[in-house]
Amino acid sequence: DAGVTQSPTHLIKTRGQQVTLRCSPKSGHDTVSWYQQALGQGPQFIFQYYEEEERQRGNFPDRFSGHQFPNYSSELNVNALLLGDSALYLCASSLGGYTEAFFGQGTRLTVV
Amino acid sequence: AQTVTQSQPEMSVQEAETVTLSCTYDTSESDYYLFWYKQPPSRQMILVIRQEAYKQQNATENRFSVNFQKAAKSFSLKISDSQLGDAAMYFCAYRSARIGNKLVFGAGTILRVKS
């Protein structure tokens, strides 16, 4: 049973560029949440997708957007990248948003 | 808004000894869940233990146990018989019982295990 998978593993982008990160949830899960983890800090909630709609959003600017596909996979898009967007981006999946969350290994984004 | 505080940036323990990691949280809700996650250098967040707020009995998972004090809003993690593989960053996290709610994490505690 494949767990949560994220791609790519690492990514380097230039300021001002746009980036797309991808997440495939654990088999049987329908809810995907995204978190940003800056170096040495705890993860911060970005948003959650359920039934292809954004169900809840954290305190992140509109430059951060997402999408969920009919197969429950999800994308996180960040526009106009800033140096401060450099972080580990974690995807977590669950069933309905109320069962245990399983995390992927994350995507390390470096903005230069 | 809920907050989670981990006051110990770093802890060390000798192999085979016991260590306790501290966590306090703030919430006005009565129904919620608390978690301890482990994040090794591989970066993947691994669930160690969970506690439902309505349960008075402290959760236990093998060498891991918690001390849940609801009135004091305290949720500490005890690791017994520490092993080298326990070395990691540990995060305390809160989640409301409402469907779809997010995880709120503390800043983490680095646990070092000495051989």
Side-chain angles (χ1 to χ4, degrees), chain A residues 3-6 22-26 29-36 43 45-50 55 68 72-74 89-97 99-106, chain B residues 37 44-45 95 101-103 105:
Chain A
V4 180
T5 58
Q6 294 187 241
R22 295 176 175 81
C23 172
S24 292
K26 180 179 170 62
H29 285 184
D30 59 6
T31 303
V32 173
S33 301
W34 287 91
Y35 293 82
Q36 181 194 66
F45 176 76
I46 302 175
F47 43 53
Q48 182 180 87
Y49 276 84
Y50 173 71
R55 178 158 66 177
Q68 186 178 35
Y72 307 120
S73 66
S74 177
Y89 288 85
L90 296 167
C91 169
S93 73
S94 62
L95 180 61
T99 61
E100 176 189 334
F102 286 79
F103 283 82
Q105 83 283 8
Chain B
Y37 280 92
Q44 186 156 16
M45 202 75 76
R95 181 168 73 77
N101 223 307
K102 64 191 180 193
L103 284 165
F105 287 88

Side-chain angles (χ1 to χ4, degrees), chain A residues 2-111:
Chain A
V4 180
T5 58
Q6 294 187 241
S7 62
T9 307
H10 296 88
L11 201 53
I12 299 176
K13 288 287 189 178
T14 303
R15 276 180 299 176
Q17 285 188 317
Q18 179 265 344
V19 69
T20 297
L21 310 182
R22 295 176 175 81
C23 172
S24 292
K26 180 179 170 62
S27 177
H29 285 184
D30 59 6
T31 303
V32 173
S33 301
W34 287 91
Y35 293 82
Q36 181 194 66
Q37 185 179 12
L39 195 62
Q41 297 182 23
Q44 299 291 317
F45 176 76
I46 302 175
F47 43 53
Q48 182 180 87
Y49 276 84
Y50 173 71
E51 293 189 341
E52 302 180 52
E53 292 194 359
E54 184 182 288
R55 178 158 66 177
Q56 192 175 9
R57 188 180 183 90
N59 189 25
F60 279 80
D62 292 343
R63 297 187 298 108
F64 290 77
S65 63
H67 188 77
Q68 186 178 35
F69 299 94
N71 67 353
Y72 307 120
S73 66
S74 177
E75 289 181 347
L76 164 65
N77 300 293
V78 186
N79 294 322
L81 284 166
L82 304 173
L83 295 179
D85 294 332
S86 295
L88 178 68
Y89 288 85
L90 296 167
C91 169
S93 73
S94 62
L95 180 61
Y98 55 88
T99 61
E100 176 189 334
F102 286 79
F103 283 82
Q105 83 283 8
T107 295
R108 172 73 66 190
L109 172 65
T110 302
V111 182

